[in-house]
Amino acid sequence: MRWDGISEFVYVAEHESFTRAAKELGISTAQVSRQISALEKRLNVKLLYRTTRKVSLTEEGRVFYQHCRGVLDGLDAAEQAVSNLQSKPQGRIKLTAPVTYGEQQLLPLVNDFMVQYSDIEVTAFLSNQKIDLVDGGYDLAIRIGKLSDSTMMAKKLSRRTNFVCAAPAYLEKYGTPHSLSDLSQHNCLLGTRDYWHFIDFKETDSKKTDYGKDADKEKNLRVSGTVQYNSGHSLVDAALKGLGIVQLPDYYVQKYLASGELVSLLDNYREPEESIWAIYPHNRHLSPKIRLLVDYLAERLV
C-alpha cells in the first residue's frame, strides 16, 4: 500500500492537472483523484491545492514530490539495469579527444571495442580545443589534466607523465642541464606554448617525492628556441636529430628513452602525473553503450 498513489501524485504535480496525469498514466481521472485522496489521508497531510482551473503543490507537497521523484527515478534505473543485462549494446557513440592521444592511444582501443561489439557505431572528432559536449551532441570526451567543468560526470581512465629529453649527440655537443635555470642556455624545442611545466624543489630532498605537500611549487618556465611546431611527432623527430631539448608526454618518447636514442633530463623537477579522464554529460540514466566503452577503456589504458 505504501506505493499506492505515488505515481499518480508525481504525474499530477508535474502536469498540474488531474486530467493530463490520468491520460499519461492511461487511467481515469476519477481513479487518479481517489488514489491521491487516499494518499493524503494515509499521510494525514494536504499535498495539493485544487481549484477549478489549477492544481498546485502545498509546501508539504513540494517536499514529498522531491522524494517521490527520486524514488521513481531509482525504480526506472533499476528496471533499465535489468533490461540492459538482457540486451546487446547497440547504437552510435559520438566522442571527442585530443588529437595525438586519440590517434595513438584511444582510437585503436575503440576499434578493438567495435570488433567485440559489432552493433556499436562510433563518430570521433579529434581536437585539442575543449568542445562543449552538450552543444555538440557528444556522448563522451577524453580530457587530460585538471578538470574545470563541474557540471560533467567524470571517470579517471589513466595518467601520463611529461618528460624533458634530448639526443645524446646534442648533450655531448652542448652539455647537460642540471637545473631549471640551465635551460636558458639551451635550444628548447617548443610546441604550441612557450613554457614548460615543472615542480621546482628547493628546500629538502624529501619533497622531491611528496608532491602533495609542496603543491605551490608547480612552475611554468618560459623557454625559447629555434623550433616551434604544433606537432608532437615533428618535435620528437627534431630532438632525435639533435636540434635541441624537448618536453613531451610519455607516449611520444617512451620507446626512444628505452632504446637510448633520447635521454631523460631534469627528472627531479618532473611534474606530477596528469590524469586522463572520460567525461560525459550528467545523466541519471547513463547509456549502457557509453558505460561499457568507458569501463573498457579504463581497464586497458595504462
Side-chain angles (χ1 to χ4, degrees), residues 6 26 28 53 57 59 83 90 92 98 108 122 124 136-137 148 152 162 182 194 223 230 247 264 286 291 294:
I6 298 296
S28 69
R53 295 186 176 181
L57 289 168
E59 183 178 353
S83 176
Q90 58 184 323
R92 181 172 296 277
V122 175
S148 57
M152 296 288 164
N162 285 320
D182 289 345
D194 61 354
V223 293
N230 67 344
Q247 184 183 61
S264 180
L286 181 62
R291 187 182 301 279
V294 169

PDB file of all heavy atoms in Angstrom, residues 6 26 28 53 57 59 83 90 92 98 108 122 124 136-137 148 152 162 182 194 223 230 247 264 286 291 294:
ATOM      1  N   ILE A   6       1.512   7.035  -5.384  1.00  0.00           N
ATOM      2  CA  ILE A   6       2.778   7.756  -5.592  1.00  0.00           C
ATOM      3  C   ILE A   6       2.904   8.225  -7.043  1.00  0.00           C
ATOM      4  O   ILE A   6       3.156   9.403  -7.315  1.00  0.00           O
ATOM      5  CB  ILE A   6       3.983   6.873  -5.198  1.00  0.00           C
ATOM      6  CG1 ILE A   6       3.935   6.520  -3.715  1.00  0.00           C
ATOM      7  CG2 ILE A   6       5.283   7.584  -5.557  1.00  0.00           C
ATOM      8  CD1 ILE A   6       4.061   7.703  -2.794  1.00  0.00           C
ATOM      9  N   GLY A  26      -2.812   6.450 -18.382  1.00  0.00           N
ATOM     10  CA  GLY A  26      -3.726   5.518 -19.019  1.00  0.00           C
ATOM     11  C   GLY A  26      -4.821   5.027 -18.102  1.00  0.00           C
ATOM     12  O   GLY A  26      -5.294   3.888 -18.245  1.00  0.00           O
ATOM     13  N   SER A  28      -8.383   6.507 -15.463  1.00  0.00           N
ATOM     14  CA  SER A  28      -9.400   7.552 -15.414  1.00  0.00           C
ATOM     15  C   SER A  28      -9.010   8.658 -14.452  1.00  0.00           C
ATOM     16  O   SER A  28      -8.244   8.450 -13.507  1.00  0.00           O
ATOM     17  CB  SER A  28     -10.741   6.953 -14.979  1.00  0.00           C
ATOM     18  OG  SER A  28     -10.687   6.556 -13.615  1.00  0.00           O
ATOM     19  N   ARG A  53      -9.491  25.647 -11.922  1.00  0.00           N
ATOM     20  CA  ARG A  53      -8.591  25.998 -13.027  1.00  0.00           C
ATOM     21  C   ARG A  53      -7.159  25.506 -12.844  1.00  0.00           C
ATOM     22  O   ARG A  53      -6.410  25.408 -13.810  1.00  0.00           O
ATOM     23  CB  ARG A  53      -8.567  27.526 -13.201  1.00  0.00           C
ATOM     24  CG  ARG A  53      -9.893  28.112 -13.637  1.00  0.00           C
ATOM     25  CD  ARG A  53      -9.739  29.594 -13.915  1.00  0.00           C
ATOM     26  NE  ARG A  53     -10.972  30.182 -14.427  1.00  0.00           N
ATOM     27  CZ  ARG A  53     -11.091  31.451 -14.769  1.00  0.00           C
ATOM     28  NH1 ARG A  53     -10.043  32.271 -14.654  1.00  0.00           N
ATOM     29  NH2 ARG A  53     -12.246  31.925 -15.231  1.00  0.00           N
ATOM     30  N   LEU A  57       1.150  22.509  -5.763  1.00  0.00           N
ATOM     31  CA  LEU A  57       1.662  21.790  -4.599  1.00  0.00           C
ATOM     32  C   LEU A  57       1.605  22.658  -3.351  1.00  0.00           C
ATOM     33  O   LEU A  57       1.898  23.861  -3.394  1.00  0.00           O
ATOM     34  CB  LEU A  57       3.110  21.362  -4.845  1.00  0.00           C
ATOM     35  CG  LEU A  57       3.335  20.252  -5.871  1.00  0.00           C
ATOM     36  CD1 LEU A  57       4.812  20.159  -6.223  1.00  0.00           C
ATOM     37  CD2 LEU A  57       2.834  18.919  -5.344  1.00  0.00           C
ATOM     38  N   GLU A  59       3.293  23.287   0.495  1.00  0.00           N
ATOM     39  CA  GLU A  59       4.690  23.208   0.945  1.00  0.00           C
ATOM     40  C   GLU A  59       5.063  21.773   1.257  1.00  0.00           C
ATOM     41  O   GLU A  59       6.140  21.305   0.886  1.00  0.00           O
ATOM     42  CB  GLU A  59       4.891  24.089   2.181  1.00  0.00           C
ATOM     43  CG  GLU A  59       6.334  24.115   2.676  1.00  0.00           C
ATOM     44  CD  GLU A  59       6.533  25.031   3.865  1.00  0.00           C
ATOM     45  OE1 GLU A  59       5.569  25.753   4.219  1.00  0.00           O
ATOM     46  OE2 GLU A  59       7.632  25.013   4.432  1.00  0.00           O
ATOM     47  N   SER A  83      17.067  -4.677 -17.689  1.00  0.00           N
ATOM     48  CA  SER A  83      16.838  -4.790 -19.132  1.00  0.00           C
ATOM     49  C   SER A  83      18.147  -4.813 -19.895  1.00  0.00           C
ATOM     50  O   SER A  83      18.311  -5.552 -20.868  1.00  0.00           O
ATOM     51  CB  SER A  83      15.957  -3.638 -19.608  1.00  0.00           C
ATOM     52  OG  SER A  83      15.791  -3.673 -21.008  1.00  0.00           O
ATOM     53  N   GLN A  90      24.061  -1.438 -28.531  1.00  0.00           N
ATOM     54  CA  GLN A  90      23.989  -1.050 -29.921  1.00  0.00           C
ATOM     55  C   GLN A  90      23.762   0.457 -30.020  1.00  0.00           C
ATOM     56  O   GLN A  90      23.438   1.117 -29.038  1.00  0.00           O
ATOM     57  CB  GLN A  90      22.868  -1.801 -30.629  1.00  0.00           C
ATOM     58  CG  GLN A  90      21.497  -1.593 -30.014  1.00  0.00           C
ATOM     59  CD  GLN A  90      20.439  -2.434 -30.692  1.00  0.00           C
ATOM     60  OE1 GLN A  90      20.480  -2.629 -31.903  1.00  0.00           O
ATOM     61  NE2 GLN A  90      19.478  -2.928 -29.930  1.00  0.00           N
ATOM     62  N   ARG A  92      24.911   4.473 -31.860  1.00  0.00           N
ATOM     63  CA  ARG A  92      26.059   5.327 -32.175  1.00  0.00           C
ATOM     64  C   ARG A  92      26.598   6.023 -30.938  1.00  0.00           C
ATOM     65  O   ARG A  92      25.839   6.456 -30.071  1.00  0.00           O
ATOM     66  CB  ARG A  92      25.667   6.378 -33.229  1.00  0.00           C
ATOM     67  CG  ARG A  92      26.814   7.313 -33.642  1.00  0.00           C
ATOM     68  CD  ARG A  92      26.421   8.182 -34.808  1.00  0.00           C
ATOM     69  NE  ARG A  92      26.169   7.382 -35.991  1.00  0.00           N
ATOM     70  CZ  ARG A  92      27.136   6.956 -36.817  1.00  0.00           C
ATOM     71  NH1 ARG A  92      28.404   7.267 -36.572  1.00  0.00           N
ATOM     72  NH2 ARG A  92      26.833   6.237 -37.872  1.00  0.00           N
ATOM     73  N   PRO A  98      41.770  14.635 -27.514  1.00  0.00           N
ATOM     74  CA  PRO A  98      42.932  15.333 -28.065  1.00  0.00           C
ATOM     75  C   PRO A  98      43.511  14.562 -29.250  1.00  0.00           C
ATOM     76  O   PRO A  98      43.418  13.322 -29.301  1.00  0.00           O
ATOM     77  CB  PRO A  98      43.913  15.365 -26.889  1.00  0.00           C
ATOM     78  CG  PRO A  98      43.051  15.222 -25.678  1.00  0.00           C
ATOM     79  CD  PRO A  98      41.931  14.327 -26.078  1.00  0.00           C
ATOM     80  N   PRO A 108      42.699   3.200 -31.385  1.00  0.00           N
ATOM     81  CA  PRO A 108      42.962   1.758 -31.557  1.00  0.00           C
ATOM     82  C   PRO A 108      42.153   0.893 -30.591  1.00  0.00           C
ATOM     83  O   PRO A 108      41.674  -0.182 -30.967  1.00  0.00           O
ATOM     84  CB  PRO A 108      44.468   1.657 -31.284  1.00  0.00           C
ATOM     85  CG  PRO A 108      45.002   2.984 -31.688  1.00  0.00           C
ATOM     86  CD  PRO A 108      43.947   3.970 -31.258  1.00  0.00           C
ATOM     87  N   VAL A 122      30.662   4.383 -34.094  1.00  0.00           N
ATOM     88  CA  VAL A 122      31.392   5.453 -33.409  1.00  0.00           C
ATOM     89  C   VAL A 122      31.703   6.589 -34.373  1.00  0.00           C
ATOM     90  O   VAL A 122      32.171   6.363 -35.491  1.00  0.00           O
ATOM     91  CB  VAL A 122      32.708   4.930 -32.790  1.00  0.00           C
ATOM     92  CG1 VAL A 122      33.512   6.091 -32.198  1.00  0.00           C
ATOM     93  CG2 VAL A 122      32.418   3.887 -31.712  1.00  0.00           C
ATOM     94  N   ALA A 124      34.078   9.936 -34.112  1.00  0.00           N
ATOM     95  CA  ALA A 124      35.096  10.565 -33.270  1.00  0.00           C
ATOM     96  C   ALA A 124      35.613  11.828 -33.938  1.00  0.00           C
ATOM     97  O   ALA A 124      35.907  11.836 -35.140  1.00  0.00           O
ATOM     98  CB  ALA A 124      36.246   9.604 -33.011  1.00  0.00           C
ATOM     99  N   GLY A 136      27.446  20.267 -28.828  1.00  0.00           N
ATOM    100  CA  GLY A 136      27.891  19.467 -29.962  1.00  0.00           C
ATOM    101  C   GLY A 136      27.232  18.113 -30.065  1.00  0.00           C
ATOM    102  O   GLY A 136      27.479  17.375 -31.027  1.00  0.00           O
ATOM    103  N   GLY A 137      26.406  17.776 -29.093  1.00  0.00           N
ATOM    104  CA  GLY A 137      25.733  16.483 -29.128  1.00  0.00           C
ATOM    105  C   GLY A 137      26.660  15.312 -28.885  1.00  0.00           C
ATOM    106  O   GLY A 137      26.419  14.197 -29.363  1.00  0.00           O
ATOM    107  N   SER A 148      37.870  21.366 -15.298  1.00  0.00           N
ATOM    108  CA  SER A 148      37.312  22.650 -14.872  1.00  0.00           C
ATOM    109  C   SER A 148      35.794  22.667 -14.914  1.00  0.00           C
ATOM    110  O   SER A 148      35.168  23.520 -14.301  1.00  0.00           O
ATOM    111  CB  SER A 148      37.852  23.780 -15.762  1.00  0.00           C
ATOM    112  OG  SER A 148      37.557  23.525 -17.127  1.00  0.00           O
ATOM    113  N   MET A 152      29.891  18.186 -15.438  1.00  0.00           N
ATOM    114  CA  MET A 152      30.030  16.900 -16.109  1.00  0.00           C
ATOM    115  C   MET A 152      30.375  15.793 -15.118  1.00  0.00           C
ATOM    116  O   MET A 152      31.004  16.035 -14.088  1.00  0.00           O
ATOM    117  CB  MET A 152      31.119  16.971 -17.187  1.00  0.00           C
ATOM    118  CG  MET A 152      30.807  17.926 -18.316  1.00  0.00           C
ATOM    119  SD  MET A 152      29.508  17.281 -19.401  1.00  0.00           S
ATOM    120  CE  MET A 152      29.045  18.784 -20.269  1.00  0.00           C
ATOM    121  N   ASN A 162      54.998  13.852 -18.349  1.00  0.00           N
ATOM    122  CA  ASN A 162      55.774  14.632 -19.305  1.00  0.00           C
ATOM    123  C   ASN A 162      57.263  14.463 -19.029  1.00  0.00           C
ATOM    124  O   ASN A 162      57.701  14.582 -17.879  1.00  0.00           O
ATOM    125  CB  ASN A 162      55.409  16.117 -19.217  1.00  0.00           C
ATOM    126  CG  ASN A 162      54.068  16.413 -19.856  1.00  0.00           C
ATOM    127  OD1 ASN A 162      53.739  15.862 -20.902  1.00  0.00           O
ATOM    128  ND2 ASN A 162      53.286  17.278 -19.234  1.00  0.00           N
ATOM    129  N   ASP A 182      69.445  26.308 -16.036  1.00  0.00           N
ATOM    130  CA  ASP A 182      70.353  25.926 -17.127  1.00  0.00           C
ATOM    131  C   ASP A 182      69.642  25.922 -18.482  1.00  0.00           C
ATOM    132  O   ASP A 182      70.302  26.041 -19.525  1.00  0.00           O
ATOM    133  CB  ASP A 182      70.931  24.532 -16.874  1.00  0.00           C
ATOM    134  CG  ASP A 182      71.931  24.503 -15.726  1.00  0.00           C
ATOM    135  OD1 ASP A 182      72.392  25.590 -15.318  1.00  0.00           O
ATOM    136  OD2 ASP A 182      72.235  23.397 -15.237  1.00  0.00           O
ATOM    137  N   ASP A 194      54.887  28.495 -25.111  1.00  0.00           N
ATOM    138  CA  ASP A 194      56.291  28.881 -24.960  1.00  0.00           C
ATOM    139  C   ASP A 194      56.773  28.678 -23.519  1.00  0.00           C
ATOM    140  O   ASP A 194      57.694  29.351 -23.069  1.00  0.00           O
ATOM    141  CB  ASP A 194      56.517  30.331 -25.399  1.00  0.00           C
ATOM    142  CG  ASP A 194      55.710  31.323 -24.566  1.00  0.00           C
ATOM    143  OD1 ASP A 194      54.898  30.880 -23.721  1.00  0.00           O
ATOM    144  OD2 ASP A 194      55.904  32.540 -24.765  1.00  0.00           O
ATOM    145  N   VAL A 223      60.517  29.151 -21.920  1.00  0.00           N
ATOM    146  CA  VAL A 223      61.711  28.686 -22.620  1.00  0.00           C
ATOM    147  C   VAL A 223      61.678  29.214 -24.052  1.00  0.00           C
ATOM    148  O   VAL A 223      60.655  29.708 -24.531  1.00  0.00           O
ATOM    149  CB  VAL A 223      61.790  27.141 -22.612  1.00  0.00           C
ATOM    150  CG1 VAL A 223      62.008  26.613 -21.194  1.00  0.00           C
ATOM    151  CG2 VAL A 223      60.540  26.519 -23.219  1.00  0.00           C
ATOM    152  N   ASN A 230      53.391  22.662 -33.934  1.00  0.00           N
ATOM    153  CA  ASN A 230      52.180  22.189 -33.254  1.00  0.00           C
ATOM    154  C   ASN A 230      51.976  20.696 -33.487  1.00  0.00           C
ATOM    155  O   ASN A 230      50.859  20.192 -33.494  1.00  0.00           O
ATOM    156  CB  ASN A 230      50.943  22.973 -33.715  1.00  0.00           C
ATOM    157  CG  ASN A 230      50.582  22.710 -35.162  1.00  0.00           C
ATOM    158  OD1 ASN A 230      51.399  22.189 -35.928  1.00  0.00           O
ATOM    159  ND2 ASN A 230      49.368  23.056 -35.542  1.00  0.00           N
ATOM    160  N   GLN A 247      60.143  18.817 -24.308  1.00  0.00           N
ATOM    161  CA  GLN A 247      59.292  18.282 -23.251  1.00  0.00           C
ATOM    162  C   GLN A 247      58.010  17.761 -23.893  1.00  0.00           C
ATOM    163  O   GLN A 247      57.261  18.520 -24.517  1.00  0.00           O
ATOM    164  CB  GLN A 247      58.936  19.337 -22.197  1.00  0.00           C
ATOM    165  CG  GLN A 247      58.130  18.745 -21.030  1.00  0.00           C
ATOM    166  CD  GLN A 247      57.698  19.782 -20.004  1.00  0.00           C
ATOM    167  OE1 GLN A 247      56.968  20.716 -20.342  1.00  0.00           O
ATOM    168  NE2 GLN A 247      58.139  19.629 -18.764  1.00  0.00           N
ATOM    169  N   SER A 264      66.504  11.101 -20.722  1.00  0.00           N
ATOM    170  CA  SER A 264      65.632  11.879 -19.843  1.00  0.00           C
ATOM    171  C   SER A 264      66.461  12.844 -19.006  1.00  0.00           C
ATOM    172  O   SER A 264      67.501  12.473 -18.446  1.00  0.00           O
ATOM    173  CB  SER A 264      64.839  10.937 -18.934  1.00  0.00           C
ATOM    174  OG  SER A 264      63.986  11.675 -18.089  1.00  0.00           O
ATOM    175  N   LEU A 286      22.779   6.829 -17.544  1.00  0.00           N
ATOM    176  CA  LEU A 286      23.892   6.764 -18.487  1.00  0.00           C
ATOM    177  C   LEU A 286      23.682   5.584 -19.424  1.00  0.00           C
ATOM    178  O   LEU A 286      23.440   4.468 -18.994  1.00  0.00           O
ATOM    179  CB  LEU A 286      25.214   6.605 -17.735  1.00  0.00           C
ATOM    180  CG  LEU A 286      26.479   6.539 -18.599  1.00  0.00           C
ATOM    181  CD1 LEU A 286      26.651   7.834 -19.376  1.00  0.00           C
ATOM    182  CD2 LEU A 286      27.700   6.278 -17.736  1.00  0.00           C
ATOM    183  N   ARG A 291      28.621   3.521 -20.906  1.00  0.00           N
ATOM    184  CA  ARG A 291      29.218   2.941 -19.697  1.00  0.00           C
ATOM    185  C   ARG A 291      30.138   1.784 -20.060  1.00  0.00           C
ATOM    186  O   ARG A 291      31.229   1.626 -19.498  1.00  0.00           O
ATOM    187  CB  ARG A 291      28.121   2.463 -18.749  1.00  0.00           C
ATOM    188  CG  ARG A 291      28.658   2.001 -17.388  1.00  0.00           C
ATOM    189  CD  ARG A 291      27.538   1.499 -16.502  1.00  0.00           C
ATOM    190  NE  ARG A 291      26.534   2.519 -16.268  1.00  0.00           N
ATOM    191  CZ  ARG A 291      26.673   3.484 -15.363  1.00  0.00           C
ATOM    192  NH1 ARG A 291      27.772   3.555 -14.638  1.00  0.00           N
ATOM    193  NH2 ARG A 291      25.710   4.368 -15.191  1.00  0.00           N
ATOM    194  N   VAL A 294      33.405   3.219 -21.570  1.00  0.00           N
ATOM    195  CA  VAL A 294      34.225   3.853 -20.542  1.00  0.00           C
ATOM    196  C   VAL A 294      34.911   2.793 -19.681  1.00  0.00           C
ATOM    197  O   VAL A 294      36.116   2.891 -19.408  1.00  0.00           O
ATOM    198  CB  VAL A 294      33.360   4.795 -19.665  1.00  0.00           C
ATOM    199  CG1 VAL A 294      34.142   5.246 -18.440  1.00  0.00           C
ATOM    200  CG2 VAL A 294      32.922   6.007 -20.480  1.00  0.00           C
TER     201      VAL A 294
END
